[in-house]
Amino acid sequence: MIIVPVAVAERTYPVRIGPGARHDLAAVLPEGVGRVAVVSQAGIGITVHAGCEQRQTDIPDGEAHKTLATVEMLCRQWAAWGLTRADAVVAVGGGLVTDVAGFAAASYHRGVAVVHVPTTLLGMVDAAIGGKTGVNLPEGKNLVGAFWQPCAVLCDTDVLATLPDREVRSGRGELAKYHFLADVDLLALDLPERIAAAVQIKANVVAGDEHEDPHALRGRAILNYGHTLAHALEIETGHALRHGEAVAVGLAYAAELARRLGRIDDARVDEHHRVLAAYELDSALPPGVAPDRLIELMRHDKKALHGLTFVLDGPEGVEVVSDVAESDARAALEEI
Ligand code: GLY
């Protein structure tokens, strides 16, 4: 088992990575927990054993259910059961489950302990790590949420065996991102080591800027490398592209844009394409998407404080770059 510590302000918690990691649940629950509220989804079918009284609630699948209504439903069930502040929530699922259950745990009794058991590659290398939780509003994704750090994350690599190919592909898009955030050759590693390396990179970033200072150039926002175009593509394609697939195109785009701005050279752009190809990810814009619409969506990216804002590679590494000229953003779109 590989254990990566995540150091945040109030404490350090372990991310345990390897075959069978979910069976460590009883060992990572805080002392004195008497009841565990498991949150999962029908169809996930991954069982956990808390070693104490436990009840499971399945939440519906799909972004349309990532809402305050689902959080209310969970909290009301927990209240009816009598879950106390000394008990715990365990989220078993992908990013939607850990985001919703994490936010419900952050809110219920003003905060109960939560353990995340991510069941997707994307959840293991991103969503379940670092304490971001939240739900959507009709006005936008993840607009309501909280930073609520789990007391442990159990990345059981056994559960990845049953994951659909598209879901694994999507996780590889997030993995590809980490190649450019630190000088580690993730491709040389086996899967548990690769997940652990990605978690370690994310843990280092989160330790430096846990609450994502909106003015930090090289803070937590660098985890959004490749995401400005990715979010626009997800919206524009009606989520036909999965998140990590969109991130892959977004990484190729960010590299092209950085080259246009004189921040990186041809070899570094080639390195992006080499990594994306190694993960068997497409780096071209999908057919039929309108550049005007993508520019419009990127202009309204919620992280943009000053004009068109991107996370771009450069001589100092990956950092936030604001006020990018629309002509450059458009020309880079045409290049990919
Ligand atoms: N998924 C980006 C972050 O956790 O900050």
Side-chain angles (χ1 to χ4, degrees):
M1 193 70 58
I2 308 174
I3 301 177
V4 177
V6 182
V8 288
E10 73 199 63
R11 64 198 145 80
T12 296
Y13 63 87
V15 181
R16 300 175 71 92
I17 302 145
R22 74 183 190 279
H23 301 303
D24 295 344
L25 176 58
V28 299
L29 285 170
E31 195 128 331
V33 165
R35 290 174 175 187
V36 159
V38 177
V39 180
S40 193
Q41 283 175 322
I44 287 182
I46 302 295
T47 50
V48 290
H49 301 287
C52 60
E53 196 185 346
Q54 68 182 70
R55 280 193 194 179
Q56 179 164 332
T57 308
D58 286 341
I59 60 173
D61 198 9
E63 284 289 317
H65 299 286
K66 192 179 176 186
T67 58
L68 288 166
T70 304
V71 171
E72 181 180 357
M73 181 273 285
L74 286 172
C75 292
R76 290 189 64 186
Q77 288 210 2
W78 299 341
W81 184 31
L83 198 76
T84 73
R85 286 197 66 217
D87 295 324
V89 170
V90 175
V92 182
L96 190 149
V97 173
T98 53
D99 276 11
V100 173
F103 185 44
S107 313
Y108 184 71
H109 281 305
R110 300 190 183 84
V112 291
V114 63
V115 174
H116 291 315
V117 184
T119 58
T120 62
L121 180 56
L122 202 138
M124 292 182 190
V125 299
D126 188 28
I129 314 294
K132 274 193 184 174
T133 71
V135 296
N136 303 333
L137 293 180
E139 287 75 13
K141 265 173 72 73
N142 298 326
L143 282 186
V144 179
F147 289 99
W148 188 244
Q149 298 292 347
C151 46
V153 182
L154 304 176
C155 299
D156 187 338
T157 48
D158 282 345
V159 310
L160 297 176
T162 56
L163 214 57
D165 283 353
R166 283 279 310 273
E167 195 52 59
V168 176
R169 217 175 125 71
S170 181
R172 291 200 305 255
E174 282 289 347
L175 268 176
K177 170 188 86 176
Y178 288 105
H179 285 251
F180 306 101
L181 300 188
D183 258 345
V184 182
D185 182 8
L186 280 79
L187 289 170
L189 306 174
D190 68 19
L191 186 63
E193 289 170 340
R194 199 179 287 172
I195 294 170
V199 170
Q200 184 66 68
I201 296 167
K202 180 158 184 180
N204 293 344
V205 173
V206 169
D209 181 21
E210 185 181 343
H211 296 134
E212 195 167 326
D213 174 353
H215 304 291
L217 287 188
R218 290 180 211 102
R220 187 166 179 158
I222 67 168
L223 295 169
N224 288 316
Y225 189 41
H227 283 56
T228 313
L229 178 64
H231 289 147
L233 280 173
E234 284 178 274
I235 296 170
E236 189 54 9
T237 63
H239 295 272
L241 277 190
R242 298 189 82 93
H243 178 68
E245 294 171 331
V247 169
V249 182
L251 290 171
Y253 173 70
E256 190 51 50
L257 182 55
R259 168 163 59 187
R260 287 197 78 78
L261 298 178
R263 298 176 56 86
I264 59 173
D265 60 14
D266 294 352
R268 187 67 170 165
V269 177
D270 292 347
E271 177 65 5
H272 281 69
H273 287 288
R274 186 184 74 80
V275 168
L276 293 172
Y279 283 117
E280 296 173 27
L281 292 161
D282 290 333
S283 51
L285 275 186
V289 291
D292 283 347
R293 176 83 182 128
L294 293 176
I295 297 279
E296 193 53 25
L297 287 165
M298 292 195 290
R299 200 176 275 295
H300 290 109
D301 187 275
K302 65 176 185 280
K303 302 245 177 350
L305 295 184
H306 305 287
L308 274 166
T309 301
F310 296 90
V311 177
L312 296 177
D313 202 359
E316 308 288 329
V318 170
E319 62 187 8
V320 175
V321 180
S322 302
D323 285 323
V324 171
E326 183 176 320
S327 54
D328 286 320
R330 194 177 286 275
L333 273 180
E334 273 149 27
E335 282 302 322
I336 62 157

